């Protein structure tokens, strides 16, 4: 089985260095100091790489989501290290982490929290659920019923929970890393569109390559047994992350690129093969993601290539094909490829 | 006999006995047929009397009439309840058409009506031709001012060198960098080293050049870096910096035209 590319299908997956490969011979003054961002993200990659073999594309997208303040949905068949990757990323951040295993009998109060009676005070008190954390790993999110999924709408978008008429705010950063098996798997359900739209990226976790699988086997064979998760140390504090996010937010965007993003997303709403297009939230996600990707690649400005690279992860879960196109065997990534071929790059 | 043999193969004694009886019976039956009575000796055949002539039965006309009149046997749908709005609308139509086309109606009403129909037909045709007649009535929609000029340049445009020269003379270094880069893309396209398409990024061209003309790739990468920093990054460019960009571009184009870079 060929590994599924996470980047947009029409863009060649060239590894991009953190610093510009071409020397700055024109002597342009650096407008933004991206050295701390480069150093920190490199440290995160290094820590995760102590356990995780390969999956460089996946790690890049996770770092982009981390910098762009967006939630990530990881999809892949069982056994391709979805949960492990999410746990490892959470370990590199020096913030509280919680994990929720979604099951068919899970109730909203199991996630958000509930009011319990405190006899000493003679009153009800809100007990926070596991969602009150900084990094939340929701494992197998598509095994829970729609009622529980709906409980996540408010908290994922607005970063607070309203219970019994009282709003409880969550502390920043708040990042949901959710894993799911493909919908065709036994006992899984399609997530509501409103919830899918709240994820910045849907990242497809592919099988490792043969070389990577050999490395996994060798490491397992020669190691002490089990995964050395304790070797992974936190390298990014909440305050640092907030500063990096602010830096990403200030990235320079040439005005024509706004139009490019809007055209690209707007086309999903009129495309004949789609009966559900992407929302303006998708445009914002594409722009924010492109800014973070540019920063990760050592630039303080966005290029059309950044936008094209992220078009598939941003759009693939936000668009829905007509039944006819699905029967023809087309997928969301095929449609995104068509869209990219229809919009002229601003140059 | 084969089926019999087969059938009684499990019990050969009984099967053999039955076969023997059958063989013995065959000659006995033949003389018996010969000894039967002749045709003349038989009793004359008498045809039985036929059925009486059929009587045509007719339904009672009175009974049929009664059934037809029975409400329980009427299967027609009852008419829909009278809609006062529809009734008013039909009356209005009847009055209008009666006024226009009825006996003694004025010729002016007819002219007005035919003019109205012709106008509607013209509007439909214009709409089908995409001429947007609605805009003539409403006026054009408000145009939202965008803080940039829309550039729709094609690398195959013949005026690119002239526009580059004009930009250089006007000291528009950023625009000149862009037009110069487009000229480079055109030169590479003319030599089929890249396949220029409006939707491709510079990254695509870089990958194509690495395949088709790897010797040119480093210099092209540098020109791309300069273009992206100046155009997308909007870095301000001085005359001296542009002179460097211009020199590198000219060197690249000279190299491209003087050497064979086919992969």
């Amino acid at each position: 089985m060929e590994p599924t590319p996470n980047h947009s299908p029409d863009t060649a997956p060239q590894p991009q260095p953190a610093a510009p490969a071409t020397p700055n011979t024109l002597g342009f003054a650096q407008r933004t100091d991206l050295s701390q961002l480069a150093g920190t993200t490199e440290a995160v990659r290094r820590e995760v790489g102590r356990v995780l073999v390969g999956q460089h594309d996946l790690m890049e997208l996770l770092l982009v989501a981390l910098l762009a303040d967006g939630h990530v949905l990881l999809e892949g068949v069982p056994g391709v290290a979805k949960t492990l990757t999410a746990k490892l990323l959470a370990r590199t951040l020096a913030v509280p982490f919680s994990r929720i295993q979604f099951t068919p009998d899970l109730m909203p109060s199991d996630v958000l929290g509930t009011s319990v009676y405190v006899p000493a005070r003679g009153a009800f008190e809100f007990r926070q659920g596991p969602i009150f954390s900084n990094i939340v790993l929701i494992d197998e999110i598509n095994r829970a019923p729609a009622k529980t999924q709906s409980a996540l709408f408010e908290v994922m978008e607005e970063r607070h929970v309203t219970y019994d008429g009282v709003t409880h705010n969550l502390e920043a950063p708040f990042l949901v890393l959710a894993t799911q098996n493909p919908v065709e798997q036994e006992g899984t359900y399609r997530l509501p569109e409103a919830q899918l739209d709240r994820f910045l990226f849907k990242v497809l976790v592919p099988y490792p390559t043969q070389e990577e699988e050999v490395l996994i086997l060798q490491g397992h064979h020669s190691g002490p047994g089990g995964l050395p998760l304790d070797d992974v140390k936190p390298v990014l504090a909440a305050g640092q992350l907030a500063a990096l996010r602010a830096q990403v937010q200030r990235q320079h965007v040439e005005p024509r690129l706004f139009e490019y993003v809007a055209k690209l997303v707007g086309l999903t709403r009129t495309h004949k093969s789609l009966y559900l297009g992407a929302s303006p939230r998708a445009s914002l996600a594409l722009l924010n993601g492109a800014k973070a990707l540019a920063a990760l690649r050592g630039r303080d400005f966005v290029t059309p290539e950044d936008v094209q690279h992220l078009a598939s992860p941003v759009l693939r879960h936000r668009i829905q094909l007509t039944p006819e196109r699905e029967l023809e065997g087309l997928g969301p990534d095929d449609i995104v490829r068509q869209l990219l071929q229809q919009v002229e790059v601003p140059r | 006999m084969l089926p019999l043999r087969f059938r009684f193969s499990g019990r050969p004694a009984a099967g053999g006995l039955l076969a023997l009886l059958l063989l013995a019976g065959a000659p006995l039956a033949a003389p018996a047929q010969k000894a039967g009575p002749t045709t003349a000796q038989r009793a004359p055949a008498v045809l039985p009397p036929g059925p009486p002539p059929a009587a045509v039965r007719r339904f009672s006309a009175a009974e049929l009439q009664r059934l037809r009149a029975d409400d329980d046997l009427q299967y027609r749908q009852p008419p829909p309840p009278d809609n006062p709005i529809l009734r008013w609308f039909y009356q209005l139509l009847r009055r209008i058409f009666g006024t226009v086309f009825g006996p003694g109606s004025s010729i002016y009403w007819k002219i007005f009506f035919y003019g109205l129909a012709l106008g509607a037909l013209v509007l439909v045709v214009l709409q089908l031709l995409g001429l947007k007649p609605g805009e003539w009535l409403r006026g054009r929609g408000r145009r939202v001012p965008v803080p940039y000029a829309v550039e729709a340049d094609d690398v195959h445009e013949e005026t690119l060198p002239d526009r580059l020269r004009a930009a250089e003379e006007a000291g528009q270094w950023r625009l000149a960098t862009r037009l110069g880069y487009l000229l480079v893309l055109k030169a590479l396209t003319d030599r089929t080293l890249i396949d220029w398409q409006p939707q491709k990024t510079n990254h695509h061209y870089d990958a194509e050049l690495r395949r088709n003309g790897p010797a040119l790739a480093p210099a092209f990468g540098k020109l791309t870096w300069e273009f992206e920093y100046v155009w997308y990054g909007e870095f301000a460019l001085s005359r001296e910096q542009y002179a460097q960009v211009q020199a590198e571009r000219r060197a690249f184009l000279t190299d491209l035209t003087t050497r064979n870079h086919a992969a």
Side-chain angles (χ1 to χ4, degrees), chain B residues 29-47:
Chain B
Q33 282 177 357
K34 286 175 184 173
T38 60
T39 309
Q41 293 170 329
R42 283 184 197 151
V46 178
L47 286 172

Side-chain angles (χ1 to χ4, degrees), chain B residues 7-263:
Chain B
R7 192 168 177 182
F8 296 107
S9 60
R11 298 173 62 186
L17 183 61
L18 182 60
L20 193 61
L21 285 173
L22 284 173
L23 288 172
L28 290 175
Q33 282 177 357
K34 286 175 184 173
T38 60
T39 309
Q41 293 170 329
R42 283 184 197 151
V46 178
L47 286 172
V56 179
R57 295 177 63 198
R58 295 188 187 281
F59 292 104
S60 159
E63 183 63 11
L64 282 176
Q65 191 57 37
R66 188 188 66 76
L67 290 172
R68 283 196 189 103
D70 190 344
D71 281 346
D72 291 342
L73 302 175
Q74 304 302 317
Y75 298 109
R76 281 185 301 239
Q77 291 292 326
D82 193 19
N83 187 332
I85 297 173
L86 273 180
R87 191 177 61 225
W88 171 82
F89 181 68
Y90 289 142
Q91 282 174 355
L92 183 68
L93 283 181
R94 209 172 294 127
R95 199 178 307 150
I96 289 172
F97 281 94
T99 309
V100 176
F101 298 105
S105 64
S106 166
I107 184 70
Y108 300 112
W109 276 117
K110 287 194 176 72
I111 292 171
F112 172 75
F113 181 81
Y114 284 126
L116 203 65
L118 185 67
L121 184 68
V122 168
L123 280 177
V124 169
V125 170
L126 289 176
Q127 190 76 43
L128 290 175
L129 292 174
L131 294 177
K132 297 183 181 172
E135 282 191 355
W136 304 344
L137 302 173
R138 291 193 307 272
R140 283 177 179 276
R142 190 170 65 87
R143 301 288 179 201
V144 179
V146 288
Y148 56 88
V150 175
E151 312 278 351
D153 288 325
D154 191 314
V155 297
H156 301 299
E157 205 178 308
E158 296 295 328
T159 58
L160 270 183
D162 296 338
R163 290 177 58 201
L164 173 60
R165 205 173 304 117
E168 286 172 343
E169 285 169 6
Q172 295 175 321
W173 312 127
R174 186 166 171 261
L175 179 61
T177 304
R178 169 177 174 267
L179 293 170
Y181 188 72
L182 291 180
L183 268 180
V184 168
L185 292 182
K186 175 177 167 53
L188 290 171
T189 307
D190 290 345
R191 284 158 184 77
T192 62
L193 292 169
I194 63 169
D195 174 27
W196 184 84
Q197 297 290 337
Q199 76 278 4
K200 284 186 180 175
T201 64
N202 302 331
H203 197 73
H204 290 110
Y205 299 134
D206 190 52
E208 288 174 21
L209 197 58
R210 283 179 198 283
R211 281 197 306 272
N212 302 332
L216 288 165
F220 179 74
K222 195 161 188 306
L223 290 175
T224 302
W225 186 91
E226 289 167 355
F227 164 73
E228 290 190 341
Y229 267 70
V230 171
W231 193 245
Y232 300 125
E234 297 193 89
F235 277 88
L237 204 64
S238 66
R239 175 189 289 271
E240 292 73 29
Q241 285 172 319
Y242 178 71
Q244 187 181 335
V245 172
Q246 188 185 41
E248 287 169 1
R249 183 177 68 237
R250 284 176 176 166
F252 180 85
L253 291 172
T254 307
D255 187 25
L256 183 65
T257 49
T258 53
R259 292 203 313 201
N260 180 17
H261 285 286

Side-chain angles (χ1 to χ4, degrees), chain A residues 89-141:
Chain A
L89 182 69
R91 276 178 170 267
T92 62
L93 305 174
V95 291
F97 164 73
S98 68
R99 172 184 173 155
I100 313 170
Q101 182 73 41
F102 268 34
T103 52
D105 58 349
L106 197 74
M107 298 296 286
S109 56
D110 298 331
V111 178
L112 303 178
T114 188
S115 286
V116 292
Y117 184 70
V118 183
R121 290 176 48 210
F124 281 91
E125 189 178 85
F126 180 69
R127 290 281 169 86
Q128 295 181 344
I131 200 76
F132 284 85
S133 187
N134 291 111
I135 308 285
V136 180
L137 167 60
I138 299 179
D139 210 13
E140 306 209 55
I141 189 170

